[in-house]
mmCIF file of all heavy atoms in Angstrom:
data_model
loop_
_atom_site.group_PDB
_atom_site.id
_atom_site.type_symbol
_atom_site.label_atom_id
_atom_site.label_comp_id
_atom_site.label_asym_id
_atom_site.label_seq_id
_atom_site.Cartn_x
_atom_site.Cartn_y
_atom_site.Cartn_z
ATOM 1 N N VAL E 6 -5.115 -1.497 -5.428
ATOM 2 C CA VAL E 6 -5.774 -1.874 -4.178
ATOM 3 C C VAL E 6 -5.757 -3.395 -4.044
ATOM 4 O O VAL E 6 -6.162 -4.112 -4.968
ATOM 5 C CB VAL E 6 -7.241 -1.380 -4.142
ATOM 6 C CG1 VAL E 6 -7.864 -1.699 -2.787
ATOM 7 C CG2 VAL E 6 -7.318 0.119 -4.422
ATOM 8 N N HIS E 7 -5.289 -3.878 -2.888
ATOM 9 C CA HIS E 7 -5.299 -5.311 -2.568
ATOM 10 C C HIS E 7 -6.646 -5.630 -1.949
ATOM 11 O O HIS E 7 -6.963 -5.186 -0.851
ATOM 12 C CB HIS E 7 -4.167 -5.624 -1.608
ATOM 13 C CG HIS E 7 -3.857 -7.084 -1.458
ATOM 14 N ND1 HIS E 7 -4.818 -8.040 -1.234
ATOM 15 C CD2 HIS E 7 -2.653 -7.760 -1.503
ATOM 16 C CE1 HIS E 7 -4.253 -9.230 -1.143
ATOM 17 N NE2 HIS E 7 -2.939 -9.086 -1.306
ATOM 18 N N ARG E 8 -7.444 -6.464 -2.625
ATOM 19 C CA ARG E 8 -8.826 -6.693 -2.212
ATOM 20 C C ARG E 8 -9.049 -8.027 -1.519
ATOM 21 O O ARG E 8 -10.163 -8.267 -1.007
ATOM 22 C CB ARG E 8 -9.751 -6.637 -3.444
ATOM 23 C CG ARG E 8 -9.689 -5.338 -4.203
ATOM 24 C CD ARG E 8 -10.424 -5.441 -5.518
ATOM 25 N NE ARG E 8 -11.864 -5.519 -5.365
ATOM 26 C CZ ARG E 8 -12.690 -5.948 -6.303
ATOM 27 N NH1 ARG E 8 -12.207 -6.371 -7.467
ATOM 28 N NH2 ARG E 8 -13.982 -5.986 -6.094
ATOM 29 N N ASP E 9 -8.073 -8.906 -1.503
ATOM 30 C CA ASP E 9 -8.296 -10.279 -1.032
ATOM 31 C C ASP E 9 -7.589 -10.509 0.306
ATOM 32 O O ASP E 9 -6.375 -10.644 0.363
ATOM 33 C CB ASP E 9 -7.809 -11.280 -2.074
ATOM 34 C CG ASP E 9 -8.054 -12.726 -1.664
ATOM 35 O OD1 ASP E 9 -8.801 -12.953 -0.688
ATOM 36 O OD2 ASP E 9 -7.513 -13.625 -2.330
ATOM 37 N N ALA E 10 -8.369 -10.572 1.371
ATOM 38 C CA ALA E 10 -7.791 -10.815 2.700
ATOM 39 C C ALA E 10 -7.263 -12.224 2.847
ATOM 40 O O ALA E 10 -6.542 -12.522 3.813
ATOM 41 C CB ALA E 10 -8.839 -10.533 3.776
ATOM 42 N N GLY E 11 -7.598 -13.102 1.922
ATOM 43 C CA GLY E 11 -7.120 -14.478 1.994
ATOM 44 C C GLY E 11 -5.781 -14.697 1.330
ATOM 45 O O GLY E 11 -5.278 -15.818 1.302
ATOM 46 N N ALA E 12 -5.192 -13.636 0.771
ATOM 47 C CA ALA E 12 -3.920 -13.764 0.065
ATOM 48 C C ALA E 12 -2.855 -12.907 0.736
ATOM 49 O O ALA E 12 -3.160 -11.937 1.436
ATOM 50 C CB ALA E 12 -4.072 -13.357 -1.396
ATOM 51 N N GLY E 13 -1.600 -13.258 0.478
ATOM 52 C CA GLY E 13 -0.479 -12.475 0.992
ATOM 53 C C GLY E 13 -0.123 -11.359 0.041
ATOM 54 O O GLY E 13 -0.927 -10.925 -0.795
ATOM 55 N N ALA E 14 1.127 -10.890 0.155
ATOM 56 C CA ALA E 14 1.593 -9.812 -0.699
ATOM 57 C C ALA E 14 1.585 -10.251 -2.160
ATOM 58 O O ALA E 14 1.838 -11.419 -2.484
ATOM 59 C CB ALA E 14 2.982 -9.365 -0.276
ATOM 60 N N ILE E 15 1.303 -9.299 -3.042
ATOM 61 C CA ILE E 15 1.255 -9.570 -4.478
ATOM 62 C C ILE E 15 2.284 -8.688 -5.170
ATOM 63 O O ILE E 15 2.267 -7.461 -5.004
ATOM 64 C CB ILE E 15 -0.146 -9.296 -5.061
ATOM 65 C CG1 ILE E 15 -1.215 -10.134 -4.332
ATOM 66 C CG2 ILE E 15 -0.178 -9.569 -6.554
ATOM 67 C CD1 ILE E 15 -2.636 -9.782 -4.724
ATOM 68 N N ASP E 16 3.194 -9.290 -5.925
ATOM 69 C CA ASP E 16 4.126 -8.530 -6.744
ATOM 70 C C ASP E 16 3.416 -8.134 -8.032
ATOM 71 O O ASP E 16 3.006 -9.003 -8.822
ATOM 72 C CB ASP E 16 5.377 -9.348 -7.064
ATOM 73 C CG ASP E 16 6.240 -9.587 -5.834
ATOM 74 O OD1 ASP E 16 6.221 -8.724 -4.943
ATOM 75 O OD2 ASP E 16 6.917 -10.633 -5.777
ATOM 76 N N VAL E 17 3.257 -6.831 -8.225
ATOM 77 C CA VAL E 17 2.499 -6.320 -9.370
ATOM 78 C C VAL E 17 3.472 -5.681 -10.360
ATOM 79 O O VAL E 17 4.221 -4.768 -10.008
ATOM 80 C CB VAL E 17 1.453 -5.288 -8.930
ATOM 81 C CG1 VAL E 17 0.625 -4.815 -10.129
ATOM 82 C CG2 VAL E 17 0.526 -5.873 -7.863
ATOM 83 N N THR E 18 3.431 -6.146 -11.590
ATOM 84 C CA THR E 18 4.223 -5.584 -12.672
ATOM 85 C C THR E 18 3.325 -4.697 -13.517
ATOM 86 O O THR E 18 2.326 -5.164 -14.070
ATOM 87 C CB THR E 18 4.857 -6.680 -13.534
ATOM 88 O OG1 THR E 18 5.678 -7.510 -12.713
ATOM 89 C CG2 THR E 18 5.699 -6.072 -14.639
ATOM 90 N N VAL E 19 3.681 -3.419 -13.620
ATOM 91 C CA VAL E 19 2.893 -2.446 -14.378
ATOM 92 C C VAL E 19 3.706 -2.006 -15.582
ATOM 93 O O VAL E 19 4.895 -1.658 -15.441
ATOM 94 C CB VAL E 19 2.532 -1.219 -13.516
ATOM 95 C CG1 VAL E 19 1.609 -0.279 -14.278
ATOM 96 C CG2 VAL E 19 1.882 -1.643 -12.210
ATOM 97 N N SER E 20 3.085 -1.989 -16.754
ATOM 98 C CA SER E 20 3.805 -1.606 -17.967
ATOM 99 C C SER E 20 2.864 -0.888 -18.908
ATOM 100 O O SER E 20 1.650 -0.896 -18.746
ATOM 101 C CB SER E 20 4.406 -2.846 -18.646
ATOM 102 O OG SER E 20 3.357 -3.734 -19.054
ATOM 103 N N GLY E 21 3.447 -0.239 -19.915
ATOM 104 C CA GLY E 21 2.643 0.457 -20.917
ATOM 105 C C GLY E 21 3.294 1.734 -21.379
ATOM 106 O O GLY E 21 4.203 2.278 -20.737
ATOM 107 N N ASP E 22 2.822 2.239 -22.514
ATOM 108 C CA ASP E 22 3.400 3.425 -23.122
ATOM 109 C C ASP E 22 3.471 4.633 -22.190
ATOM 110 O O ASP E 22 4.450 5.384 -22.225
ATOM 111 C CB ASP E 22 2.634 3.794 -24.393
ATOM 112 C CG ASP E 22 2.924 2.831 -25.542
ATOM 113 O OD1 ASP E 22 3.887 2.063 -25.426
ATOM 114 O OD2 ASP E 22 2.178 2.860 -26.531
ATOM 115 N N PRO E 23 2.447 4.899 -21.366
ATOM 116 C CA PRO E 23 2.534 6.097 -20.512
ATOM 117 C C PRO E 23 3.726 6.093 -19.568
ATOM 118 O O PRO E 23 4.104 7.151 -19.060
ATOM 119 C CB PRO E 23 1.207 6.053 -19.734
ATOM 120 C CG PRO E 23 0.270 5.316 -20.626
ATOM 121 C CD PRO E 23 1.115 4.264 -21.271
ATOM 122 N N LEU E 24 4.321 4.901 -19.325
ATOM 123 C CA LEU E 24 5.460 4.826 -18.407
ATOM 124 C C LEU E 24 6.799 4.973 -19.116
ATOM 125 O O LEU E 24 7.839 5.125 -18.449
ATOM 126 C CB LEU E 24 5.434 3.495 -17.650
ATOM 127 C CG LEU E 24 4.294 3.295 -16.641
ATOM 128 C CD1 LEU E 24 4.288 1.851 -16.129
ATOM 129 C CD2 LEU E 24 4.457 4.255 -15.459
ATOM 130 N N LYS E 25 6.809 4.920 -20.451
ATOM 131 C CA LYS E 25 8.086 4.826 -21.152
ATOM 132 C C LYS E 25 8.928 6.084 -21.061
ATOM 133 O O LYS E 25 10.151 6.034 -21.235
ATOM 134 C CB LYS E 25 7.830 4.456 -22.612
ATOM 135 C CG LYS E 25 7.414 2.992 -22.779
ATOM 136 C CD LYS E 25 7.299 2.599 -24.240
ATOM 137 C CE LYS E 25 6.965 1.107 -24.370
ATOM 138 N NZ LYS E 25 6.808 0.701 -25.777
ATOM 139 N N SER E 26 8.293 7.203 -20.779
ATOM 140 C CA SER E 26 9.063 8.446 -20.665
ATOM 141 C C SER E 26 9.582 8.679 -19.245
ATOM 142 O O SER E 26 10.208 9.703 -18.979
ATOM 143 C CB SER E 26 8.205 9.635 -21.087
ATOM 144 O OG SER E 26 7.086 9.756 -20.229
ATOM 145 N N LEU E 27 9.338 7.720 -18.342
ATOM 146 C CA LEU E 27 9.718 7.883 -16.941
ATOM 147 C C LEU E 27 10.907 6.992 -16.595
ATOM 148 O O LEU E 27 11.038 5.868 -17.092
ATOM 149 C CB LEU E 27 8.544 7.532 -16.027
ATOM 150 C CG LEU E 27 7.223 8.270 -16.255
ATOM 151 C CD1 LEU E 27 6.178 7.786 -15.266
ATOM 152 C CD2 LEU E 27 7.408 9.773 -16.145
ATOM 153 N N ASN E 28 11.750 7.498 -15.701
ATOM 154 C CA ASN E 28 12.847 6.696 -15.160
ATOM 155 C C ASN E 28 12.490 6.077 -13.814
ATOM 156 O O ASN E 28 13.055 5.045 -13.433
ATOM 157 C CB ASN E 28 14.099 7.548 -15.012
ATOM 158 C CG ASN E 28 14.641 8.023 -16.352
ATOM 159 O OD1 ASN E 28 14.650 7.246 -17.307
ATOM 160 N ND2 ASN E 28 15.070 9.277 -16.419
ATOM 161 N N GLU E 29 11.582 6.743 -13.104
ATOM 162 C CA GLU E 29 11.135 6.222 -11.832
ATOM 163 C C GLU E 29 9.762 6.785 -11.508
ATOM 164 O O GLU E 29 9.310 7.760 -12.103
ATOM 165 C CB GLU E 29 12.118 6.546 -10.695
ATOM 166 C CG GLU E 29 12.198 8.013 -10.332
ATOM 167 C CD GLU E 29 13.084 8.269 -9.119
ATOM 168 O OE1 GLU E 29 13.882 7.384 -8.756
ATOM 169 O OE2 GLU E 29 12.964 9.355 -8.528
ATOM 170 N N VAL E 30 9.097 6.126 -10.565
ATOM 171 C CA VAL E 30 7.818 6.605 -10.067
ATOM 172 C C VAL E 30 7.911 6.724 -8.547
ATOM 173 O O VAL E 30 8.677 5.998 -7.901
ATOM 174 C CB VAL E 30 6.643 5.667 -10.454
ATOM 175 C CG1 VAL E 30 6.395 5.703 -11.941
ATOM 176 C CG2 VAL E 30 6.882 4.249 -9.947
ATOM 177 N N THR E 31 7.117 7.629 -8.005
ATOM 178 C CA THR E 31 6.977 7.730 -6.551
ATOM 179 C C THR E 31 5.911 6.744 -6.106
ATOM 180 O O THR E 31 4.846 6.633 -6.725
ATOM 181 C CB THR E 31 6.568 9.155 -6.146
ATOM 182 O OG1 THR E 31 7.587 10.056 -6.571
ATOM 183 C CG2 THR E 31 6.390 9.262 -4.639
ATOM 184 N N VAL E 32 6.203 6.019 -5.047
ATOM 185 C CA VAL E 32 5.288 4.997 -4.530
ATOM 186 C C VAL E 32 4.817 5.430 -3.143
ATOM 187 O O VAL E 32 5.611 5.487 -2.189
ATOM 188 C CB VAL E 32 5.950 3.612 -4.443
ATOM 189 C CG1 VAL E 32 4.950 2.578 -3.937
ATOM 190 C CG2 VAL E 32 6.530 3.210 -5.794
ATOM 191 N N ASP E 33 3.551 5.787 -3.022
ATOM 192 C CA ASP E 33 2.923 6.069 -1.727
ATOM 193 C C ASP E 33 2.122 4.848 -1.323
ATOM 194 O O ASP E 33 1.210 4.429 -2.050
ATOM 195 C CB ASP E 33 2.009 7.288 -1.836
ATOM 196 C CG ASP E 33 2.777 8.554 -2.171
ATOM 197 O OD1 ASP E 33 3.642 8.935 -1.377
ATOM 198 O OD2 ASP E 33 2.498 9.150 -3.235
ATOM 199 N N ARG E 34 2.451 4.277 -0.179
ATOM 200 C CA ARG E 34 1.874 2.998 0.243
ATOM 201 C C ARG E 34 1.165 3.158 1.576
ATOM 202 O O ARG E 34 1.746 3.579 2.557
ATOM 203 C CB ARG E 34 2.968 1.943 0.342
ATOM 204 C CG ARG E 34 2.487 0.561 0.759
ATOM 205 C CD ARG E 34 3.640 -0.429 0.857
ATOM 206 N NE ARG E 34 4.118 -0.853 -0.464
ATOM 207 C CZ ARG E 34 5.245 -0.446 -1.021
ATOM 208 N NH1 ARG E 34 6.031 0.430 -0.374
ATOM 209 N NH2 ARG E 34 5.610 -0.886 -2.204
ATOM 210 N N LEU E 35 -0.129 2.818 1.588
ATOM 211 C CA LEU E 35 -0.914 2.797 2.825
ATOM 212 C C LEU E 35 -1.295 1.356 3.104
ATOM 213 O O LEU E 35 -2.027 0.736 2.324
ATOM 214 C CB LEU E 35 -2.179 3.644 2.665
ATOM 215 C CG LEU E 35 -3.143 3.659 3.872
ATOM 216 C CD1 LEU E 35 -2.510 4.374 5.056
ATOM 217 C CD2 LEU E 35 -4.465 4.311 3.496
ATOM 218 N N SER E 36 -0.791 0.805 4.196
ATOM 219 C CA SER E 36 -1.077 -0.601 4.493
ATOM 220 C C SER E 36 -1.107 -0.806 5.994
ATOM 221 O O SER E 36 -0.632 0.027 6.771
ATOM 222 C CB SER E 36 -0.017 -1.519 3.862
ATOM 223 O OG SER E 36 1.257 -1.265 4.402
ATOM 224 N N ALA E 37 -1.671 -1.926 6.393
ATOM 225 C CA ALA E 37 -1.769 -2.292 7.802
ATOM 226 C C ALA E 37 -1.438 -3.759 7.960
ATOM 227 O O ALA E 37 -1.589 -4.556 7.021
ATOM 228 C CB ALA E 37 -3.171 -1.991 8.340
ATOM 229 N N GLU E 38 -1.023 -4.130 9.157
ATOM 230 C CA GLU E 38 -0.689 -5.522 9.403
ATOM 231 C C GLU E 38 -1.938 -6.391 9.459
ATOM 232 O O GLU E 38 -1.902 -7.576 9.114
ATOM 233 C CB GLU E 38 0.104 -5.656 10.699
ATOM 234 C CG GLU E 38 1.498 -5.028 10.638
ATOM 235 C CD GLU E 38 2.286 -5.261 11.906
ATOM 236 O OE1 GLU E 38 1.763 -5.964 12.806
ATOM 237 O OE2 GLU E 38 3.410 -4.747 12.011
ATOM 238 N N THR E 39 -3.058 -5.812 9.925
ATOM 239 C CA THR E 39 -4.304 -6.574 9.992
ATOM 240 C C THR E 39 -5.424 -5.716 9.424
ATOM 241 O O THR E 39 -5.288 -4.508 9.235
ATOM 242 C CB THR E 39 -4.670 -6.946 11.441
ATOM 243 O OG1 THR E 39 -5.114 -5.766 12.139
ATOM 244 C CG2 THR E 39 -3.479 -7.538 12.196
ATOM 245 N N MET E 40 -6.555 -6.342 9.188
ATOM 246 C CA MET E 40 -7.705 -5.627 8.656
ATOM 247 C C MET E 40 -8.381 -4.769 9.705
ATOM 248 O O MET E 40 -9.222 -3.928 9.387
ATOM 249 C CB MET E 40 -8.730 -6.614 8.076
ATOM 250 C CG MET E 40 -9.375 -7.514 9.117
ATOM 251 S SD MET E 40 -10.612 -8.634 8.396
ATOM 252 C CE MET E 40 -9.587 -9.809 7.546
ATOM 253 N N TYR E 41 -8.030 -4.965 10.984
ATOM 254 C CA TYR E 41 -8.738 -4.268 12.063
ATOM 255 C C TYR E 41 -7.880 -3.245 12.810
ATOM 256 O O TYR E 41 -8.377 -2.545 13.677
ATOM 257 C CB TYR E 41 -9.293 -5.276 13.071
ATOM 258 C CG TYR E 41 -8.277 -6.242 13.623
ATOM 259 C CD1 TYR E 41 -7.442 -5.885 14.681
ATOM 260 C CD2 TYR E 41 -8.159 -7.523 13.107
ATOM 261 C CE1 TYR E 41 -6.509 -6.777 15.186
ATOM 262 C CE2 TYR E 41 -7.216 -8.419 13.608
ATOM 263 C CZ TYR E 41 -6.404 -8.045 14.632
ATOM 264 O OH TYR E 41 -5.479 -8.917 15.143
ATOM 265 N N ASP E 42 -6.606 -3.141 12.503
ATOM 266 C CA ASP E 42 -5.762 -2.163 13.187
ATOM 267 C C ASP E 42 -6.282 -0.749 12.951
ATOM 268 O O ASP E 42 -6.774 -0.415 11.866
ATOM 269 C CB ASP E 42 -4.324 -2.251 12.678
ATOM 270 C CG ASP E 42 -3.571 -3.422 13.292
ATOM 271 O OD1 ASP E 42 -4.031 -3.929 14.329
ATOM 272 O OD2 ASP E 42 -2.542 -3.820 12.738
ATOM 273 N N THR E 43 -6.151 0.101 13.963
ATOM 274 C CA THR E 43 -6.624 1.486 13.876
ATOM 275 C C THR E 43 -5.562 2.435 14.423
ATOM 276 O O THR E 43 -4.664 2.028 15.159
ATOM 277 C CB THR E 43 -7.920 1.694 14.679
ATOM 278 O OG1 THR E 43 -7.663 1.450 16.068
ATOM 279 C CG2 THR E 43 -9.029 0.765 14.206
ATOM 280 N N ASN E 44 -5.701 3.684 14.075
ATOM 281 C CA ASN E 44 -4.948 4.744 14.743
ATOM 282 C C ASN E 44 -5.718 5.161 15.982
ATOM 283 O O ASN E 44 -6.953 5.176 15.988
ATOM 284 C CB ASN E 44 -4.755 5.925 13.801
ATOM 285 C CG ASN E 44 -3.852 5.597 12.638
ATOM 286 O OD1 ASN E 44 -3.002 4.716 12.724
ATOM 287 N ND2 ASN E 44 -4.035 6.289 11.520
ATOM 288 N N THR E 45 -4.999 5.514 17.031
ATOM 289 C CA THR E 45 -5.632 5.820 18.312
ATOM 290 C C THR E 45 -5.038 7.094 18.903
ATOM 291 O O THR E 45 -4.024 7.610 18.410
ATOM 292 C CB THR E 45 -5.429 4.671 19.313
ATOM 293 O OG1 THR E 45 -4.018 4.536 19.592
ATOM 294 C CG2 THR E 45 -5.970 3.355 18.779
ATOM 295 N N LEU E 46 -5.646 7.565 19.961
ATOM 296 C CA LEU E 46 -5.130 8.725 20.681
ATOM 297 C C LEU E 46 -3.697 8.464 21.146
ATOM 298 O O LEU E 46 -2.842 9.344 21.074
ATOM 299 C CB LEU E 46 -6.039 9.025 21.880
ATOM 300 C CG LEU E 46 -5.616 10.133 22.834
ATOM 301 C CD1 LEU E 46 -5.599 11.473 22.121
ATOM 302 C CD2 LEU E 46 -6.561 10.173 24.037
ATOM 303 N N GLU E 47 -3.446 7.262 21.607
ATOM 304 C CA GLU E 47 -2.121 6.918 22.121
ATOM 305 C C GLU E 47 -1.121 6.629 21.004
ATOM 306 O O GLU E 47 0.082 6.825 21.169
ATOM 307 C CB GLU E 47 -2.206 5.701 23.049
ATOM 308 C CG GLU E 47 -2.991 5.931 24.325
ATOM 309 C CD GLU E 47 -4.508 5.938 24.102
ATOM 310 O OE1 GLU E 47 -4.950 5.415 23.042
ATOM 311 O OE2 GLU E 47 -5.229 6.459 24.956
ATOM 312 N N ASP E 48 -1.616 6.159 19.849
ATOM 313 C CA ASP E 48 -0.736 5.788 18.724
ATOM 314 C C ASP E 48 -1.361 6.309 17.437
ATOM 315 O O ASP E 48 -1.856 5.551 16.617
ATOM 316 C CB ASP E 48 -0.571 4.275 18.686
ATOM 317 C CG ASP E 48 0.537 3.829 17.736
ATOM 318 O OD1 ASP E 48 1.180 4.716 17.124
ATOM 319 O OD2 ASP E 48 0.751 2.616 17.597
ATOM 320 N N PRO E 49 -1.329 7.632 17.230
ATOM 321 C CA PRO E 49 -2.072 8.216 16.111
ATOM 322 C C PRO E 49 -1.456 7.964 14.733
ATOM 323 O O PRO E 49 -2.120 8.188 13.721
ATOM 324 C CB PRO E 49 -2.064 9.722 16.439
ATOM 325 C CG PRO E 49 -0.854 9.906 17.287
ATOM 326 C CD PRO E 49 -0.717 8.644 18.081
ATOM 327 N N GLN E 50 -0.208 7.520 14.676
ATOM 328 C CA GLN E 50 0.455 7.283 13.394
ATOM 329 C C GLN E 50 0.723 5.807 13.133
ATOM 330 O O GLN E 50 1.567 5.466 12.312
ATOM 331 C CB GLN E 50 1.772 8.065 13.346
ATOM 332 C CG GLN E 50 1.597 9.562 13.227
ATOM 333 C CD GLN E 50 1.087 9.959 11.848
ATOM 334 O OE1 GLN E 50 1.626 9.559 10.830
ATOM 335 N NE2 GLN E 50 0.019 10.751 11.818
ATOM 336 N N ARG E 51 -0.038 4.963 13.784
ATOM 337 C CA ARG E 51 0.187 3.524 13.608
ATOM 338 C C ARG E 51 0.041 3.110 12.147
ATOM 339 O O ARG E 51 0.807 2.308 11.619
ATOM 340 C CB ARG E 51 -0.788 2.739 14.483
ATOM 341 C CG ARG E 51 -0.585 1.234 14.450
ATOM 342 C CD ARG E 51 -1.541 0.545 15.405
ATOM 343 N NE ARG E 51 -1.233 -0.867 15.530
ATOM 344 C CZ ARG E 51 -1.936 -1.701 16.292
ATOM 345 N NH1 ARG E 51 -2.964 -1.255 17.002
ATOM 346 N NH2 ARG E 51 -1.606 -2.971 16.371
ATOM 347 N N ILE E 52 -0.989 3.659 11.491
ATOM 348 C CA ILE E 52 -1.209 3.366 10.065
ATOM 349 C C ILE E 52 -1.155 4.696 9.335
ATOM 350 O O ILE E 52 -2.043 5.540 9.474
ATOM 351 C CB ILE E 52 -2.571 2.694 9.836
ATOM 352 C CG1 ILE E 52 -2.672 1.414 10.661
ATOM 353 C CG2 ILE E 52 -2.786 2.400 8.359
ATOM 354 C CD1 ILE E 52 -4.061 0.826 10.704
#
């Protein structure tokens, strides 16, 4: 979770033994361009 609205994108490097048996991971990303954008009746899949 990105908690700091005062910062831009953060490149996160994750490592550890639980990952060593994997070749890839699935990445599900929920993000918005602004802190106030919403989904609406007219644009229900905006976020």
Side-chain angles (χ1 to χ4, degrees):
V6 184
H7 194 312
R8 302 170 71 198
D9 182 12
I15 303 173
D16 290 331
V17 183
T18 302
V19 185
S20 62
D22 287 347
L24 292 171
K25 287 186 176 179
S26 62
L27 306 179
N28 295 319
E29 68 175 17
V30 292
T31 299
V32 182
D33 296 299
R34 180 181 286 106
L35 177 68
S36 63
E38 293 184 3
T39 73
M40 67 178 73
Y41 54 82
D42 282 342
T43 63
N44 293 333
T45 64
L46 175 64
E47 295 76 19
D48 191 1
Q50 288 289 309
R51 184 177 188 181
I52 303 169

